Amino acid sequence: MSAPAPSSSSPGSAPEPNASARGGRWIEHWDPENETFWNETGEKVARRNLVFSILSEHIGFSIWTLWSVLVLFMGDDYGLTPADKFLLTSMVTLVGAVVRVPYTFAIALFGGRNWTIISASLLLIPTIAAFAVMKPGTSFDTFLWIGILAGIGGGNFASSMTNINAFFPLKKKGWALGLNAGGGNIGVPVIQLVALAIIGASGGPRVLLGIYIPLIVVAAVLAALFMDNIANVKNDTGAAKDAVKEGHTWIMAFLYIGTFGSFIGYAFAFGQVLQVQFGRTPLQAAYLTFIGPLLGSLIRPVGGWLADRYGGARITLWNFVGMAAATAGLVAASMAKSLPFFVTVFIVLFALSGLGNGSTYKMIPGIFQTKALAKGLTGDEAARYGRRLSGASMGLIGAVGALGGVGINLAFRQSFLSNGTGTGAFVAFLVFYAACFVVTWAVYLRRPSGSEARAKASTESKPQLSYADV
């Protein structure tokens, strides 16, 4: 049994993050804001955990979005209508959103490494169940319940992001969180590409499921071998209560509906829209559906990097302008029934949603760090305050943001039922992006007028909060 690592360090020291006497891979000392510690020992450990966190989250995303692919295999012999399929994918998205809340706090309860092993292993349940029932003649209710089980894969994102948030210093969080999320998000196009290859080779959905079952096992085993738990990320129910009471949690959740909600909602719906509105076959749809999610996933770390450099609020603001413009293009393409224009603009919208994912998530730790400084906190105390509230809020923000994917699928379902096209849904999305632009500007970038600034200065002794650079 290894000896416990020191619980504190003198200035400039960099103790090794050794496993504690609890057994397993528990790190007792972790201080990423200490530059000496970070440069000598912390960065190496953090990057190793990031790599295997990305792998596990990647598999989780793949299983979560599995049904966006499986419905393409389910032809007339399955007896499902387009409305049935949109309802199925909506329920999968809903469960993935809801489980993000408990998954966030599971890190503090079980430890990052331990929960990664558990959450990866849980993915075997819906995957094996789908393998068993995926055939014509199975009832819609059975598909619905197994799809709901697959929703647990959406929770892996929240626990993974909360875990990685604790490993990196504030100045590196945008890059690290963007890379972690992007590596997870890329599970969407990867499973679509694998499906394309299987469809092209005349394989069935069970082949796809059979490929992922051993990959889940590999992800769980590698997490057990190479990841760590951080002992000072303690179970703190008070942080959850404080995050719920904090207005910025819900403002950022609203903005995240516009970015990540769009990404995951479109990822589930794109193939079905191509089939229903443009009459594409499953193979033709599969050739097109992976491109947008792939670009959206790859560009997410770029959004985090740009936010690190120029400020997350600024990047998020102009990103919503781009998303609104792209959505207006989709309305025009949908009305003109132009498939090439429609696909091109949809891919641009995917890329912008990914960019915004990175910039909005970078804002979260910056906002709470800014609040800590405004409270008069400094140094380690300010860093602890920021990590505590940002970690607790991330699960709530991620959960509410993912609900945007539910809304997108339900909006498409209603639009097709009412009008036979997705145009009405796109108009609704355009209005929502405009609202996101206004909220971002009003809360994080609007400068108070001279009279407002003087009024605040006369009534408040604390420093004025500025979020423009978060």
Side-chain angles (χ1 to χ4, degrees):
M1 182 179 296
S2 59
S7 59
S8 62
S9 60
S10 59
S13 66
E16 286 286 343
N18 295 333
S20 76
R22 277 189 263 187
R25 299 180 66 100
W26 284 90
I27 297 174
E28 289 292 335
H29 172 84
W30 190 254
D31 185 13
E33 301 297 341
N34 180 323
E35 289 194 18
T36 304
F37 172 86
W38 177 253
N39 292 330
E40 292 184 7
T41 62
E43 184 174 17
K44 178 172 58 179
V45 174
R47 285 177 178 267
R48 169 164 48 78
N49 279 271
L50 176 62
V51 168
F52 294 101
S53 173
I54 288 173
L55 175 62
S56 178
E57 188 193 341
H58 174 91
I59 299 297
F61 253 97
S62 296
I63 301 306
W64 186 27
T65 55
L66 179 67
W67 284 89
S68 70
V69 172
L70 291 179
V71 294
L72 299 181
F73 287 98
M74 298 163 74
D76 294 340
D77 51 342
Y78 281 81
L80 302 184
T81 67
D84 289 335
K85 293 180 181 180
F86 277 118
L87 179 60
L88 175 57
T89 53
S90 297
M91 293 305 298
V92 178
T93 313
L94 175 63
V95 173
V98 172
V99 299
R100 287 183 168 199
V101 176
Y103 269 55
T104 297
F105 304 114
I107 293 297
L109 189 60
F110 296 98
R113 166 189 175 268
N114 295 349
W115 183 249
T116 302
I117 298 168
I118 295 169
S119 61
S121 301
L122 287 173
L123 299 174
L124 289 169
I125 298 172
T127 311
I128 293 173
F131 183 88
V133 305
M134 185 54 60
K135 57 187 177 182
T138 301
S139 69
F140 173 68
D141 287 346
T142 301
F143 286 131
L144 187 61
W145 281 111
I146 293 178
I148 286 172
L149 285 175
I152 62 173
N156 288 32
F157 170 87
S159 55
S160 180
M161 294 293 276
T162 300
N163 187 39
I164 293 305
N165 181 59
F167 273 98
F168 284 83
L170 181 63
K171 65 181 180 180
K172 298 282 188 179
K173 285 186 190 291
W175 171 84
L177 292 173
L179 196 61
N180 188 58
N185 291 173
I186 210 170
V188 179
V190 166
I191 200 167
Q192 291 172 341
L193 278 170
V194 174
L196 173 61
I198 292 170
I199 294 173
S202 301
R206 283 186 169 181
V207 177
L208 177 65
L209 293 161
I211 290 171
Y212 273 85
I213 291 171
L215 292 179
I216 293 169
V217 176
V218 169
V221 170
L222 291 177
L225 293 175
F226 297 108
M227 291 187 71
D228 303 286
N229 304 300
I230 298 179
N232 62 8
V233 180
K234 299 185 185 299
N235 191 19
D236 185 357
T237 56
K241 294 177 181 177
D242 290 344
V244 169
K245 295 175 183 177
E246 174 56 58
H248 287 290
T249 298
W250 303 110
I251 294 170
M252 290 307 302
F254 178 79
L255 299 181
Y256 203 55
I257 289 173
T259 56
F260 179 74
S262 295
F263 175 86
I264 197 64
Y266 295 145
F268 272 98
F270 190 24
Q272 295 182 74
V273 172
L274 292 175
Q275 284 187 303
V276 178
Q277 184 163 336
F278 290 95
R280 300 296 94 181
T281 67
L283 183 59
Q284 290 170 333
Y287 269 119
L288 299 171
T289 52
F290 76 91
I291 302 172
L294 178 63
L295 290 177
S297 301
L298 292 175
I299 205 170
R300 181 161 184 163
V302 177
W305 175 79
L306 287 171
D308 282 338
R309 185 165 184 178
Y310 300 108
R314 292 189 183 93
I315 300 301
T316 298
L317 181 81
W318 291 108
N319 192 72
F320 280 127
V321 173
M323 293 181 73
T327 307
L330 284 174
V331 172
S334 182
M335 294 177 67
K337 300 180 180 179
S338 172
L339 179 62
F341 185 32
F342 184 86
V343 171
T344 300
V345 180
F346 219 135
I347 289 171
V348 171
L349 184 56
F350 262 115
L352 290 170
S353 72
L355 191 74
N357 285 340
S359 63
T360 50
Y361 240 77
K362 166 56 176 68
M363 291 172 67
I364 299 167
I367 287 168
F368 289 113
Q369 183 73 7
T370 299
K371 291 207 71 172
L373 297 176
K375 286 176 173 287
L377 304 178
T378 58
D380 290 344
E381 191 177 10
R384 282 194 299 270
Y385 178 93
R387 279 199 301 269
R388 176 177 178 267
L389 279 184
S390 62
S393 67
M394 278 181 176
L396 297 172
I397 292 169
V400 176
L403 288 175
V406 182
I408 282 177
N409 279 269
L410 291 177
F412 276 129
R413 181 177 185 270
Q414 186 58 47
S415 185
F416 281 114
L417 283 173
S418 301
N419 307 311
T421 74
T423 305
F426 289 124
V427 172
F429 305 152
L430 174 58
V431 173
F432 185 79
Y433 297 143
C436 289
F437 172 89
V438 171
V439 170
T440 305
W441 172 79
V443 178
Y444 298 114
L445 290 169
R446 184 178 72 91
R447 293 183 178 181
S449 65
S451 59
E452 288 177 319
R454 286 191 295 272
K456 287 184 178 180
S458 65
T459 57
E460 298 181 11
S461 58
K462 293 180 180 179
Q464 294 298 305
L465 278 66
S466 175
Y467 296 106
D469 297 317
V470 297

